[in-house]
Amino acid sequence: TFARTRLAKLTARSIDGWRTRLEAGREKPLSPATINRLLNDVRAALNAAALVKRRELPGHVPLEIKVGTRAISDATEARRQVLADADVRRIVDKAFELDTDGDLGRLVLILAATGARFSQVIRLTVADVQVEAQRIMMPASSKGRSVKARPRIAVPVGEDVLARLAPAINGRQGREPLLERWRHKQVTPTEW
């Protein structure tokens, strides 16, 4: 039924009906994530067809496609795993305990305080920690974008985070990487 629907007559309701029929009669229902992946493919195909036939189609068709192929929220909600603040603090404290230099602790602290990706955190410089403004200027995520012109994003952090980052920024140049992990190399039998 859905495949025979003319593009000019396509409605969000007909797309919803197709989505409902996907699960009808299945012994094991499709996961919301699987349905969302299918909807992404269907959206791309319908948008491509609508672009080719744009002069022949009513103006509401792109909106019908957008509304009809919207993601199921259950799939995105299931991926969010939120820890309680006390659990996050315990993890950060344990990271500082495990590493006497504090390098691992600072890495885990920044990841927890900002919610940034690892690839963003490793690009931080000393100058990105703005103590007076109580924020970290986080490099934008490079996910799916070119390297050119990515602005930094201000992420507010608490005084406790800044206090734990102080040893990594005091007395250092702004252009230096914020997080460093020294690799000791033995150059002579007695010198590292």
Side-chain angles (χ1 to χ4, degrees), residues 34-189:
T34 300
I35 293 173
N36 283 346
R37 281 191 297 277
L38 288 170
L39 287 172
N40 284 340
D41 292 344
V42 168
R43 182 184 317 110
L46 291 174
N47 282 335
L51 183 63
V52 170
K53 302 285 186 181
R54 68 186 176 277
R55 293 176 192 236
E56 304 164 23
L57 294 175
H60 71 276
V61 170
L63 183 59
E64 296 290 339
I65 293 169
K66 180 179 178 180
V67 171
T69 59
R70 69 197 175 281
I72 298 173
S73 61
D74 290 351
T76 54
E77 291 297 320
R79 289 179 27 180
R80 292 188 190 135
Q81 295 180 352
V82 180
L83 295 175
D85 286 343
D87 293 336
V88 172
R89 288 182 193 282
R90 274 196 304 275
I91 292 169
V92 171
D93 290 341
K94 194 61 157 176
F96 273 99
E97 282 178 31
L98 291 173
D99 188 8
T100 56
D101 295 334
D103 299 322
L104 176 64
R106 285 189 282 274
L107 172 65
V108 173
L109 174 70
I110 292 171
L111 289 169
T114 63
R117 297 173 181 272
F118 183 75
S119 62
Q120 293 171 272
V121 174
I122 63 172
R123 290 184 287 153
L124 285 172
T125 63
V126 172
D128 289 328
V129 179
Q130 298 178 349
V131 177
E132 304 80 30
Q134 291 190 320
R135 65 184 181 189
I136 296 176
M137 298 303 292
M138 188 61 62
S141 173
S142 58
K143 183 179 176 188
R145 291 191 216 113
S146 69
V147 178
K148 300 176 185 174
R150 283 188 238 136
R152 295 194 179 268
I153 301 157
V155 179
V157 292
E159 289 179 12
D160 56 337
V161 172
L162 295 170
R164 283 192 140 168
L165 292 178
I169 60 176
N170 291 338
R172 296 184 59 213
Q173 298 291 321
R175 66 181 180 279
E176 292 181 56
L178 175 65
L179 301 175
E180 295 181 322
R181 176 71 178 186
W182 292 105
R183 181 176 166 209
H184 300 286
K185 183 177 179 183
Q186 189 171 8
V187 291
T188 68

